Amino acid sequence: MKQLENVTTEAEIHALDRALVVISVDPEIGEPIPSDTAGPRLRQYTDEVEQVRVLYFVTALRTVVVVAYLEV
């Protein structure tokens, strides 16, 4: 939650919104992050225009769970 508290400018909110819309339309758009755990498979989506990266996983019910939002 601390990371979300730091997203305060309109530009930052727009960048996050843009990335979330892209992921919500196509949850498989992100690249799988290699892992050797049995847990949910993390994916990363990088928006080159807004220069942000979102780490997330998709549940069995196709719900997207955002793990982290990073500015590149």
Side-chain angles (χ1 to χ4, degrees):
M1 287 307 257
K2 183 170 176 62
Q3 191 176 20
L4 285 178
E5 292 171 2
N6 293 332
V7 177
T8 56
T9 68
E10 192 167 323
E12 292 171 326
I13 293 169
H14 173 75
L16 178 57
D17 282 347
R18 176 184 163 95
L20 293 177
V21 166
V22 170
I23 294 168
S24 70
V25 170
D26 182 7
E28 302 298 319
I29 195 166
E31 299 173 13
I33 296 174
S35 171
D36 48 351
T37 64
R41 181 123 190 212
L42 283 177
R43 301 182 75 82
Q44 66 179 340
Y45 168 73
T46 303
D47 185 320
E48 300 296 333
V49 174
E50 297 292 342
Q51 297 184 345
V52 297
R53 184 170 72 151
V54 177
L55 304 180
Y56 67 98
F57 65 90
V58 181
T59 68
L61 298 175
R62 307 292 296 156
T63 302
V64 174
V65 178
V66 174
V67 176
Y69 160 73
L70 309 164
E71 293 183 37
V72 179

Short mmCIF file of all heavy atoms in Angstrom, two decimals:
data_model
loop_
_atom_site.label_atom_id
_atom_site.label_comp_id
_atom_site.label_asym_id
_atom_site.label_seq_id
_atom_site.Cartn_x
_atom_site.Cartn_y
_atom_site.Cartn_z
N MET A 1 0.81 -1.19 0.00
CA MET A 1 0.00 0.00 0.00
C MET A 1 0.86 1.26 0.00
O MET A 1 0.44 2.27 -0.52
CB MET A 1 -0.93 0.00 1.21
CG MET A 1 -2.07 -1.00 1.07
SD MET A 1 -2.97 -0.78 -0.44
CE MET A 1 -4.39 0.05 0.12
N LYS A 2 2.03 1.19 0.61
CA LYS A 2 2.87 2.38 0.66
C LYS A 2 3.20 2.87 -0.74
O LYS A 2 3.22 4.06 -0.99
CB LYS A 2 4.15 2.08 1.43
CG LYS A 2 5.05 3.30 1.58
CD LYS A 2 6.15 3.02 2.53
CE LYS A 2 7.11 4.17 2.64
NZ LYS A 2 6.59 5.40 3.12
N GLN A 3 3.41 1.93 -1.66
CA GLN A 3 3.74 2.31 -3.03
C GLN A 3 2.59 3.09 -3.65
O GLN A 3 2.80 4.07 -4.34
CB GLN A 3 4.06 1.07 -3.84
CG GLN A 3 4.66 1.39 -5.19
CD GLN A 3 5.05 0.14 -5.94
OE1 GLN A 3 4.57 -0.95 -5.65
NE2 GLN A 3 5.92 0.29 -6.90
N LEU A 4 1.35 2.66 -3.42
CA LEU A 4 0.20 3.38 -3.96
C LEU A 4 0.05 4.77 -3.35
O LEU A 4 -0.40 5.69 -4.01
CB LEU A 4 -1.09 2.58 -3.74
CG LEU A 4 -1.25 1.39 -4.67
CD1 LEU A 4 -2.53 0.63 -4.32
CD2 LEU A 4 -1.27 1.81 -6.12
N GLU A 5 0.42 4.91 -2.09
CA GLU A 5 0.37 6.22 -1.44
C GLU A 5 1.30 7.21 -2.12
O GLU A 5 1.07 8.41 -2.10
CB GLU A 5 0.73 6.10 0.04
CG GLU A 5 -0.31 5.34 0.86
CD GLU A 5 0.18 5.04 2.27
OE1 GLU A 5 1.31 5.45 2.63
OE2 GLU A 5 -0.58 4.39 3.00
N ASN A 6 2.36 6.71 -2.73
CA ASN A 6 3.34 7.58 -3.39
C ASN A 6 2.92 7.98 -4.80
O ASN A 6 3.56 8.82 -5.41
CB ASN A 6 4.70 6.90 -3.43
CG ASN A 6 5.30 6.74 -2.04
OD1 ASN A 6 5.02 7.53 -1.16
ND2 ASN A 6 6.09 5.72 -1.84
N VAL A 7 1.87 7.37 -5.34
CA VAL A 7 1.36 7.74 -6.66
C VAL A 7 0.41 8.91 -6.45
O VAL A 7 -0.73 8.73 -6.06
CB VAL A 7 0.62 6.55 -7.33
CG1 VAL A 7 0.04 6.96 -8.67
CG2 VAL A 7 1.56 5.37 -7.50
N THR A 8 0.92 10.11 -6.69
CA THR A 8 0.13 11.29 -6.35
C THR A 8 -0.11 12.24 -7.52
O THR A 8 -1.11 12.95 -7.53
CB THR A 8 0.80 12.08 -5.20
OG1 THR A 8 2.13 12.41 -5.60
CG2 THR A 8 0.84 11.26 -3.92
N THR A 9 0.78 12.26 -8.48
CA THR A 9 0.60 13.22 -9.57
C THR A 9 -0.36 12.65 -10.61
O THR A 9 -0.53 11.43 -10.73
CB THR A 9 1.93 13.55 -10.26
OG1 THR A 9 2.38 12.41 -10.97
CG2 THR A 9 2.98 14.03 -9.27
N GLU A 10 -0.96 13.53 -11.36
CA GLU A 10 -1.88 13.10 -12.41
C GLU A 10 -1.17 12.25 -13.46
O GLU A 10 -1.73 11.28 -13.98
CB GLU A 10 -2.53 14.31 -13.06
CG GLU A 10 -3.70 13.94 -13.92
CD GLU A 10 -4.55 15.13 -14.31
OE1 GLU A 10 -4.73 16.03 -13.49
OE2 GLU A 10 -5.02 15.13 -15.45
N ALA A 11 0.06 12.58 -13.75
CA ALA A 11 0.83 11.80 -14.74
C ALA A 11 1.07 10.38 -14.24
O ALA A 11 0.97 9.42 -15.01
CB ALA A 11 2.16 12.50 -15.02
N GLU A 12 1.39 10.22 -12.96
CA GLU A 12 1.61 8.89 -12.40
C GLU A 12 0.32 8.07 -12.40
O GLU A 12 0.33 6.87 -12.74
CB GLU A 12 2.16 8.99 -10.98
CG GLU A 12 3.56 9.55 -10.90
CD GLU A 12 3.98 9.85 -9.49
OE1 GLU A 12 3.14 10.24 -8.66
OE2 GLU A 12 5.17 9.69 -9.21
N ILE A 13 -0.77 8.70 -12.05
CA ILE A 13 -2.07 8.01 -12.05
C ILE A 13 -2.44 7.61 -13.46
O ILE A 13 -2.90 6.49 -13.70
CB ILE A 13 -3.15 8.91 -11.40
CG1 ILE A 13 -2.85 9.07 -9.92
CG2 ILE A 13 -4.54 8.32 -11.62
CD1 ILE A 13 -3.68 10.12 -9.23
N HIS A 14 -2.21 8.48 -14.43
CA HIS A 14 -2.50 8.17 -15.83
C HIS A 14 -1.65 6.99 -16.30
O HIS A 14 -2.15 6.09 -16.99
CB HIS A 14 -2.24 9.39 -16.71
CG HIS A 14 -2.35 9.11 -18.17
ND1 HIS A 14 -3.56 8.93 -18.81
CD2 HIS A 14 -1.40 8.92 -19.11
CE1 HIS A 14 -3.34 8.67 -20.08
NE2 HIS A 14 -2.03 8.66 -20.29
N ALA A 15 -0.38 6.97 -15.95
CA ALA A 15 0.51 5.89 -16.36
C ALA A 15 0.04 4.55 -15.80
O ALA A 15 0.00 3.54 -16.51
CB ALA A 15 1.94 6.19 -15.92
N LEU A 16 -0.33 4.54 -14.51
CA LEU A 16 -0.81 3.31 -13.90
C LEU A 16 -2.13 2.88 -14.53
O LEU A 16 -2.32 1.70 -14.85
CB LEU A 16 -0.96 3.49 -12.40
CG LEU A 16 -1.50 2.29 -11.62
CD1 LEU A 16 -0.63 1.06 -11.85
CD2 LEU A 16 -1.61 2.63 -10.15
N ASP A 17 -3.05 3.82 -14.73
CA ASP A 17 -4.34 3.50 -15.35
C ASP A 17 -4.15 2.90 -16.73
O ASP A 17 -4.80 1.92 -17.09
CB ASP A 17 -5.22 4.75 -15.46
CG ASP A 17 -5.89 5.12 -14.16
OD1 ASP A 17 -5.88 4.30 -13.22
OD2 ASP A 17 -6.42 6.25 -14.08
N ARG A 18 -3.26 3.48 -17.52
CA ARG A 18 -3.02 2.99 -18.87
C ARG A 18 -2.54 1.54 -18.84
O ARG A 18 -3.03 0.68 -19.59
CB ARG A 18 -2.00 3.88 -19.56
CG ARG A 18 -1.60 3.44 -20.94
CD ARG A 18 -0.51 4.35 -21.48
NE ARG A 18 0.18 3.75 -22.59
CZ ARG A 18 -0.12 3.97 -23.86
NH1 ARG A 18 -1.09 4.79 -24.18
NH2 ARG A 18 0.56 3.38 -24.82
N ALA A 19 -1.59 1.25 -17.98
CA ALA A 19 -1.06 -0.11 -17.88
C ALA A 19 -2.14 -1.08 -17.41
O ALA A 19 -2.26 -2.19 -17.94
CB ALA A 19 0.14 -0.14 -16.94
N LEU A 20 -2.94 -0.68 -16.45
CA LEU A 20 -3.99 -1.57 -15.93
C LEU A 20 -5.06 -1.85 -16.97
O LEU A 20 -5.59 -2.96 -17.04
CB LEU A 20 -4.62 -0.97 -14.67
CG LEU A 20 -3.69 -0.90 -13.46
CD1 LEU A 20 -4.39 -0.24 -12.29
CD2 LEU A 20 -3.16 -2.28 -13.08
N VAL A 21 -5.38 -0.86 -17.80
CA VAL A 21 -6.36 -1.08 -18.87
C VAL A 21 -5.82 -2.10 -19.87
O VAL A 21 -6.53 -3.03 -20.28
CB VAL A 21 -6.73 0.25 -19.57
CG1 VAL A 21 -7.47 -0.01 -20.87
CG2 VAL A 21 -7.57 1.11 -18.64
N VAL A 22 -4.57 -1.95 -20.26
CA VAL A 22 -3.96 -2.89 -21.22
C VAL A 22 -4.00 -4.31 -20.66
O VAL A 22 -4.39 -5.26 -21.35
CB VAL A 22 -2.52 -2.47 -21.56
CG1 VAL A 22 -1.81 -3.54 -22.35
CG2 VAL A 22 -2.53 -1.15 -22.33
N ILE A 23 -3.63 -4.47 -19.39
CA ILE A 23 -3.61 -5.79 -18.77
C ILE A 23 -5.02 -6.35 -18.63
O ILE A 23 -5.24 -7.54 -18.84
CB ILE A 23 -2.89 -5.74 -17.40
CG1 ILE A 23 -1.41 -5.42 -17.60
CG2 ILE A 23 -3.06 -7.05 -16.65
CD1 ILE A 23 -0.69 -5.06 -16.33
N SER A 24 -5.98 -5.50 -18.29
CA SER A 24 -7.35 -6.00 -18.12
C SER A 24 -7.95 -6.48 -19.44
O SER A 24 -8.74 -7.41 -19.47
CB SER A 24 -8.24 -4.93 -17.49
OG SER A 24 -8.48 -3.86 -18.39
N VAL A 25 -7.57 -5.86 -20.55
CA VAL A 25 -8.05 -6.27 -21.86
C VAL A 25 -7.41 -7.60 -22.28
O VAL A 25 -8.06 -8.47 -22.85
CB VAL A 25 -7.79 -5.18 -22.92
CG1 VAL A 25 -8.06 -5.68 -24.32
CG2 VAL A 25 -8.64 -3.95 -22.61
N ASP A 26 -6.13 -7.76 -22.00
CA ASP A 26 -5.40 -8.97 -22.38
C ASP A 26 -4.44 -9.38 -21.26
O ASP A 26 -3.27 -8.99 -21.27
CB ASP A 26 -4.63 -8.74 -23.68
CG ASP A 26 -3.89 -9.97 -24.16
OD1 ASP A 26 -4.08 -11.06 -23.58
OD2 ASP A 26 -3.12 -9.84 -25.12
N PRO A 27 -4.92 -10.15 -20.27
CA PRO A 27 -4.06 -10.53 -19.14
C PRO A 27 -2.81 -11.30 -19.53
O PRO A 27 -1.85 -11.33 -18.78
CB PRO A 27 -4.98 -11.40 -18.27
CG PRO A 27 -6.35 -11.04 -18.68
CD PRO A 27 -6.27 -10.64 -20.13
N GLU A 28 -2.80 -11.91 -20.70
CA GLU A 28 -1.64 -12.68 -21.13
C GLU A 28 -0.59 -11.82 -21.83
O GLU A 28 0.43 -12.36 -22.28
CB GLU A 28 -2.08 -13.81 -22.06
CG GLU A 28 -3.10 -14.77 -21.45
CD GLU A 28 -2.56 -15.50 -20.23
OE1 GLU A 28 -1.39 -15.92 -20.26
OE2 GLU A 28 -3.32 -15.64 -19.26
N ILE A 29 -0.80 -10.52 -21.91
CA ILE A 29 0.11 -9.64 -22.64
C ILE A 29 1.49 -9.58 -21.99
O ILE A 29 2.49 -9.44 -22.66
CB ILE A 29 -0.48 -8.23 -22.81
CG1 ILE A 29 0.31 -7.47 -23.87
CG2 ILE A 29 -0.50 -7.47 -21.49
CD1 ILE A 29 -0.37 -6.21 -24.35
N GLY A 30 1.54 -9.70 -20.68
CA GLY A 30 2.81 -9.61 -19.99
C GLY A 30 3.66 -10.85 -20.19
O GLY A 30 3.17 -11.93 -20.51
N GLU A 31 4.94 -10.70 -19.99
CA GLU A 31 5.88 -11.82 -20.12
C GLU A 31 5.93 -12.60 -18.81
O GLU A 31 5.99 -12.00 -17.74
CB GLU A 31 7.28 -11.29 -20.42
CG GLU A 31 7.39 -10.50 -21.69
CD GLU A 31 8.76 -9.86 -21.84
OE1 GLU A 31 9.70 -10.21 -21.09
OE2 GLU A 31 8.89 -8.98 -22.71
N PRO A 32 5.92 -13.92 -18.88
CA PRO A 32 6.07 -14.72 -17.65
C PRO A 32 7.44 -14.48 -17.02
O PRO A 32 8.44 -14.37 -17.72
CB PRO A 32 5.94 -16.16 -18.12
CG PRO A 32 5.35 -16.09 -19.49
CD PRO A 32 5.73 -14.75 -20.05
N ILE A 33 7.46 -14.40 -15.71
CA ILE A 33 8.72 -14.29 -14.97
C ILE A 33 9.12 -15.70 -14.56
O ILE A 33 8.33 -16.39 -13.91
CB ILE A 33 8.56 -13.37 -13.74
CG1 ILE A 33 8.22 -11.96 -14.20
CG2 ILE A 33 9.82 -13.40 -12.89
CD1 ILE A 33 7.91 -11.01 -13.07
N PRO A 34 10.31 -16.16 -14.94
CA PRO A 34 10.72 -17.52 -14.58
C PRO A 34 10.67 -17.74 -13.07
O PRO A 34 11.06 -16.88 -12.29
CB PRO A 34 12.17 -17.61 -15.09
CG PRO A 34 12.27 -16.53 -16.12
CD PRO A 34 11.33 -15.45 -15.69
N SER A 35 10.15 -18.90 -12.68
CA SER A 35 10.01 -19.22 -11.27
C SER A 35 10.03 -20.73 -11.10
O SER A 35 9.60 -21.47 -11.98
CB SER A 35 8.70 -18.65 -10.74
OG SER A 35 8.44 -19.11 -9.45
N ASP A 36 10.51 -21.17 -9.95
CA ASP A 36 10.47 -22.59 -9.67
C ASP A 36 9.58 -22.89 -8.46
O ASP A 36 9.74 -23.88 -7.79
CB ASP A 36 11.88 -23.16 -9.48
CG ASP A 36 12.73 -22.33 -8.54
OD1 ASP A 36 12.30 -21.24 -8.17
OD2 ASP A 36 13.83 -22.79 -8.20
N THR A 37 8.62 -22.01 -8.19
CA THR A 37 7.68 -22.23 -7.11
C THR A 37 6.36 -22.72 -7.68
O THR A 37 6.06 -22.53 -8.85
CB THR A 37 7.43 -20.93 -6.31
OG1 THR A 37 6.81 -19.97 -7.17
CG2 THR A 37 8.72 -20.36 -5.75
N ALA A 38 5.57 -23.33 -6.84
CA ALA A 38 4.27 -23.86 -7.27
C ALA A 38 3.18 -22.80 -7.20
O ALA A 38 2.06 -23.05 -7.61
CB ALA A 38 3.90 -25.06 -6.42
N GLY A 39 3.48 -21.64 -6.67
CA GLY A 39 2.49 -20.58 -6.51
C GLY A 39 2.08 -19.97 -7.83
O GLY A 39 2.46 -20.44 -8.91
N PRO A 40 1.31 -18.90 -7.77
CA PRO A 40 0.87 -18.24 -9.01
C PRO A 40 2.06 -17.78 -9.84
O PRO A 40 3.06 -17.33 -9.29
CB PRO A 40 0.06 -17.04 -8.53
CG PRO A 40 -0.12 -17.20 -7.08
CD PRO A 40 0.86 -18.21 -6.59
N ARG A 41 1.95 -17.90 -11.13
CA ARG A 41 3.03 -17.50 -12.03
C ARG A 41 2.99 -16.00 -12.25
O ARG A 41 2.02 -15.48 -12.83
CB ARG A 41 2.88 -18.23 -13.36
CG ARG A 41 3.96 -17.90 -14.33
CD ARG A 41 4.66 -19.14 -14.75
NE ARG A 41 5.85 -18.78 -15.50
CZ ARG A 41 6.33 -19.50 -16.47
NH1 ARG A 41 5.72 -20.60 -16.81
NH2 ARG A 41 7.42 -19.15 -17.08
N LEU A 42 4.01 -15.32 -11.80
CA LEU A 42 4.08 -13.87 -11.99
C LEU A 42 4.35 -13.54 -13.44
O LEU A 42 5.06 -14.25 -14.14
CB LEU A 42 5.18 -13.27 -11.12
CG LEU A 42 4.87 -13.10 -9.64
CD1 LEU A 42 6.10 -12.56 -8.92
CD2 LEU A 42 3.68 -12.20 -9.42
N ARG A 43 3.77 -12.43 -13.87
CA ARG A 43 4.01 -11.89 -15.21
C ARG A 43 4.43 -10.44 -15.04
O ARG A 43 4.14 -9.81 -14.03
CB ARG A 43 2.73 -11.97 -16.04
CG ARG A 43 2.19 -13.38 -16.19
CD ARG A 43 0.95 -13.41 -17.05
NE ARG A 43 1.27 -13.24 -18.46
CZ ARG A 43 1.69 -14.21 -19.27
NH1 ARG A 43 1.82 -15.42 -18.80
NH2 ARG A 43 1.95 -13.98 -20.54
N GLN A 44 5.13 -9.92 -16.05
CA GLN A 44 5.49 -8.51 -16.02
C GLN A 44 5.06 -7.86 -17.33
O GLN A 44 5.24 -8.41 -18.39
CB GLN A 44 6.97 -8.30 -15.77
CG GLN A 44 7.88 -8.79 -16.87
CD GLN A 44 9.33 -8.52 -16.56
OE1 GLN A 44 9.65 -7.68 -15.73
NE2 GLN A 44 10.22 -9.23 -17.22
N TYR A 45 4.47 -6.69 -17.20
CA TYR A 45 4.08 -5.92 -18.38
C TYR A 45 4.80 -4.59 -18.29
O TYR A 45 4.75 -3.90 -17.27
CB TYR A 45 2.57 -5.69 -18.42
CG TYR A 45 2.18 -4.66 -19.46
CD1 TYR A 45 2.25 -4.98 -20.81
CD2 TYR A 45 1.81 -3.38 -19.10
CE1 TYR A 45 1.93 -4.04 -21.78
CE2 TYR A 45 1.48 -2.43 -20.05
CZ TYR A 45 1.54 -2.76 -21.38
OH TYR A 45 1.24 -1.82 -22.34
N THR A 46 5.50 -4.23 -19.35
CA THR A 46 6.20 -2.94 -19.39
C THR A 46 5.57 -2.08 -20.47
O THR A 46 5.44 -2.50 -21.62
CB THR A 46 7.69 -3.14 -19.71
OG1 THR A 46 8.26 -4.00 -18.71
CG2 THR A 46 8.44 -1.81 -19.69
N ASP A 47 5.13 -0.90 -20.07
CA ASP A 47 4.57 0.07 -21.01
C ASP A 47 5.69 1.03 -21.36
O ASP A 47 6.12 1.84 -20.53
CB ASP A 47 3.40 0.81 -20.36
CG ASP A 47 2.70 1.74 -21.32
OD1 ASP A 47 3.38 2.41 -22.12
OD2 ASP A 47 1.45 1.82 -21.27
N GLU A 48 6.20 0.91 -22.57
CA GLU A 48 7.33 1.72 -23.01
C GLU A 48 6.97 3.20 -23.17
O GLU A 48 7.82 4.07 -23.01
CB GLU A 48 7.90 1.18 -24.32
CG GLU A 48 8.39 -0.25 -24.24
CD GLU A 48 9.56 -0.43 -23.29
OE1 GLU A 48 10.32 0.53 -23.06
OE2 GLU A 48 9.70 -1.55 -22.76
N VAL A 49 5.70 3.48 -23.48
CA VAL A 49 5.28 4.88 -23.65
C VAL A 49 5.27 5.61 -22.32
O VAL A 49 5.81 6.70 -22.18
CB VAL A 49 3.88 4.94 -24.31
CG1 VAL A 49 3.37 6.37 -24.35
CG2 VAL A 49 3.91 4.35 -25.70
N GLU A 50 4.66 4.98 -21.31
CA GLU A 50 4.56 5.61 -19.99
C GLU A 50 5.75 5.28 -19.09
O GLU A 50 5.87 5.81 -18.00
CB GLU A 50 3.26 5.16 -19.30
CG GLU A 50 2.01 5.60 -20.02
CD GLU A 50 1.78 7.10 -20.00
OE1 GLU A 50 2.39 7.81 -19.17
OE2 GLU A 50 0.99 7.56 -20.84
N GLN A 51 6.60 4.37 -19.53
CA GLN A 51 7.79 3.95 -18.80
C GLN A 51 7.45 3.43 -17.41
O GLN A 51 7.98 3.88 -16.40
CB GLN A 51 8.81 5.09 -18.73
CG GLN A 51 9.30 5.50 -20.09
CD GLN A 51 10.37 6.57 -20.02
OE1 GLN A 51 10.57 7.21 -19.01
NE2 GLN A 51 11.08 6.73 -21.11
N VAL A 52 6.53 2.46 -17.38
CA VAL A 52 6.18 1.80 -16.13
C VAL A 52 6.20 0.29 -16.34
O VAL A 52 6.08 -0.20 -17.46
CB VAL A 52 4.79 2.22 -15.61
CG1 VAL A 52 4.76 3.70 -15.30
CG2 VAL A 52 3.69 1.84 -16.56
N ARG A 53 6.34 -0.43 -15.25
CA ARG A 53 6.30 -1.88 -15.28
C ARG A 53 5.36 -2.35 -14.18
O ARG A 53 5.40 -1.85 -13.06
CB ARG A 53 7.69 -2.46 -15.05
CG ARG A 53 7.73 -3.97 -15.17
CD ARG A 53 9.13 -4.48 -15.19
NE ARG A 53 9.73 -4.36 -13.87
CZ ARG A 53 10.67 -5.16 -13.40
NH1 ARG A 53 11.14 -6.12 -14.15
NH2 ARG A 53 11.15 -4.98 -12.22
N VAL A 54 4.50 -3.29 -14.50
CA VAL A 54 3.55 -3.85 -13.55
C VAL A 54 3.83 -5.34 -13.42
O VAL A 54 3.92 -6.05 -14.42
CB VAL A 54 2.09 -3.62 -14.01
CG1 VAL A 54 1.12 -4.27 -13.06
CG2 VAL A 54 1.80 -2.13 -14.16
N LEU A 55 4.00 -5.80 -12.18
CA LEU A 55 4.14 -7.22 -11.90
C LEU A 55 2.79 -7.71 -11.40
O LEU A 55 2.20 -7.10 -10.52
CB LEU A 55 5.21 -7.47 -10.84
CG LEU A 55 6.60 -6.91 -11.15
CD1 LEU A 55 7.54 -7.23 -10.00
CD2 LEU A 55 7.13 -7.44 -12.45
N TYR A 56 2.31 -8.81 -11.97
CA TYR A 56 0.97 -9.28 -11.62
C TYR A 56 0.85 -10.77 -11.86
O TYR A 56 1.73 -11.40 -12.43
CB TYR A 56 -0.07 -8.54 -12.46
CG TYR A 56 -0.02 -8.84 -13.94
CD1 TYR A 56 -0.89 -9.76 -14.50
CD2 TYR A 56 0.91 -8.21 -14.76
CE1 TYR A 56 -0.83 -10.06 -15.85
CE2 TYR A 56 0.96 -8.50 -16.12
CZ TYR A 56 0.10 -9.42 -16.66
OH TYR A 56 0.15 -9.72 -17.99
N PHE A 57 -0.26 -11.34 -11.37
CA PHE A 57 -0.58 -12.71 -11.74
C PHE A 57 -2.07 -12.78 -12.02
O PHE A 57 -2.84 -11.92 -11.61
CB PHE A 57 -0.14 -13.74 -10.69
CG PHE A 57 -0.83 -13.65 -9.36
CD1 PHE A 57 -2.00 -14.36 -9.12
CD2 PHE A 57 -0.30 -12.89 -8.34
CE1 PHE A 57 -2.62 -14.31 -7.89
CE2 PHE A 57 -0.93 -12.82 -7.10
CZ PHE A 57 -2.09 -13.53 -6.88
N VAL A 58 -2.44 -13.79 -12.78
CA VAL A 58 -3.83 -13.99 -13.18
C VAL A 58 -4.35 -15.21 -12.43
O VAL A 58 -3.73 -16.27 -12.45
CB VAL A 58 -3.94 -14.22 -14.70
CG1 VAL A 58 -5.38 -14.41 -15.12
CG2 VAL A 58 -3.29 -13.06 -15.47
N THR A 59 -5.50 -15.05 -11.76
CA THR A 59 -6.07 -16.16 -11.00
C THR A 59 -6.77 -17.14 -11.94
O THR A 59 -6.95 -16.87 -13.13
CB THR A 59 -7.09 -15.65 -9.97
OG1 THR A 59 -8.23 -15.12 -10.66
CG2 THR A 59 -6.48 -14.60 -9.06
N ALA A 60 -7.20 -18.25 -11.39
CA ALA A 60 -7.93 -19.27 -12.17
C ALA A 60 -9.22 -18.70 -12.74
O ALA A 60 -9.70 -19.16 -13.77
CB ALA A 60 -8.21 -20.49 -11.30
N LEU A 61 -9.79 -17.71 -12.08
CA LEU A 61 -11.03 -17.08 -12.56
C LEU A 61 -10.76 -15.89 -13.47
O LEU A 61 -11.64 -15.08 -13.73
CB LEU A 61 -11.91 -16.66 -11.38
CG LEU A 61 -12.39 -17.80 -10.49
CD1 LEU A 61 -13.16 -17.26 -9.29
CD2 LEU A 61 -13.23 -18.78 -11.28
N ARG A 62 -9.49 -15.77 -13.92
CA ARG A 62 -9.07 -14.71 -14.86
C ARG A 62 -9.10 -13.32 -14.22
O ARG A 62 -9.21 -12.32 -14.91
CB ARG A 62 -9.90 -14.72 -16.13
CG ARG A 62 -9.97 -16.06 -16.83
CD ARG A 62 -8.70 -16.53 -17.44
NE ARG A 62 -8.28 -15.63 -18.50
CZ ARG A 62 -7.03 -15.52 -18.91
NH1 ARG A 62 -6.10 -16.23 -18.35
NH2 ARG A 62 -6.71 -14.70 -19.87
N THR A 63 -8.98 -13.25 -12.91
CA THR A 63 -8.86 -11.97 -12.23
C THR A 63 -7.39 -11.59 -12.18
O THR A 63 -6.54 -12.44 -11.90
CB THR A 63 -9.40 -12.07 -10.78
OG1 THR A 63 -10.76 -12.48 -10.84
CG2 THR A 63 -9.29 -10.75 -10.05
N VAL A 64 -7.08 -10.33 -12.45
CA VAL A 64 -5.70 -9.86 -12.42
C VAL A 64 -5.40 -9.30 -11.04
O VAL A 64 -6.13 -8.45 -10.53
CB VAL A 64 -5.47 -8.77 -13.49
CG1 VAL A 64 -4.09 -8.17 -13.35
CG2 VAL A 64 -5.70 -9.34 -14.88
N VAL A 65 -4.33 -9.78 -10.43
CA VAL A 65 -3.89 -9.30 -9.12
C VAL A 65 -2.55 -8.61 -9.31
O VAL A 65 -1.56 -9.24 -9.70
CB VAL A 65 -3.76 -10.46 -8.11
CG1 VAL A 65 -3.25 -9.94 -6.77
CG2 VAL A 65 -5.11 -11.16 -7.94
N VAL A 66 -2.52 -7.30 -9.05
CA VAL A 66 -1.28 -6.52 -9.22
C VAL A 66 -0.43 -6.69 -7.97
O VAL A 66 -0.91 -6.50 -6.85
CB VAL A 66 -1.60 -5.03 -9.46
CG1 VAL A 66 -0.31 -4.21 -9.49
CG2 VAL A 66 -2.38 -4.87 -10.76
N VAL A 67 0.81 -7.07 -8.18
CA VAL A 67 1.75 -7.27 -7.08
C VAL A 67 2.59 -6.02 -6.86
O VAL A 67 2.84 -5.62 -5.75
CB VAL A 67 2.65 -8.50 -7.36
CG1 VAL A 67 3.69 -8.68 -6.27
CG2 VAL A 67 1.80 -9.74 -7.54
N ALA A 68 3.01 -5.38 -7.95
CA ALA A 68 3.84 -4.19 -7.84
C ALA A 68 3.70 -3.31 -9.07
O ALA A 68 3.41 -3.79 -10.16
CB ALA A 68 5.31 -4.58 -7.66
N TYR A 69 3.89 -2.04 -8.85
CA TYR A 69 3.90 -1.05 -9.93
C TYR A 69 5.22 -0.31 -9.81
O TYR A 69 5.56 0.20 -8.75
CB TYR A 69 2.72 -0.09 -9.75
CG TYR A 69 2.87 1.22 -10.47
CD1 TYR A 69 2.76 1.28 -11.85
CD2 TYR A 69 3.13 2.39 -9.78
CE1 TYR A 69 2.89 2.48 -12.52
CE2 TYR A 69 3.26 3.59 -10.43
CZ TYR A 69 3.15 3.64 -11.80
OH TYR A 69 3.29 4.82 -12.45
N LEU A 70 5.98 -0.30 -10.89
CA LEU A 70 7.32 0.31 -10.85
C LEU A 70 7.48 1.31 -11.98
O LEU A 70 7.05 1.05 -13.10
CB LEU A 70 8.40 -0.78 -11.02
CG LEU A 70 8.29 -1.98 -10.11
CD1 LEU A 70 9.15 -3.10 -10.64
CD2 LEU A 70 8.68 -1.62 -8.72
N GLU A 71 8.09 2.42 -11.66
CA GLU A 71 8.44 3.37 -12.72
C GLU A 71 9.80 2.97 -13.27
O GLU A 71 10.71 2.64 -12.53
CB GLU A 71 8.49 4.79 -12.16
CG GLU A 71 7.13 5.28 -11.74
CD GLU A 71 7.17 6.70 -11.26
OE1 GLU A 71 7.93 7.51 -11.83
OE2 GLU A 71 6.44 7.00 -10.31
N VAL A 72 9.91 2.96 -14.59
CA VAL A 72 11.15 2.54 -15.24
C VAL A 72 12.03 3.74 -15.48
O VAL A 72 11.57 4.79 -15.81
CB VAL A 72 10.85 1.82 -16.57
CG1 VAL A 72 12.12 1.40 -17.25
CG2 VAL A 72 9.95 0.62 -16.29
#
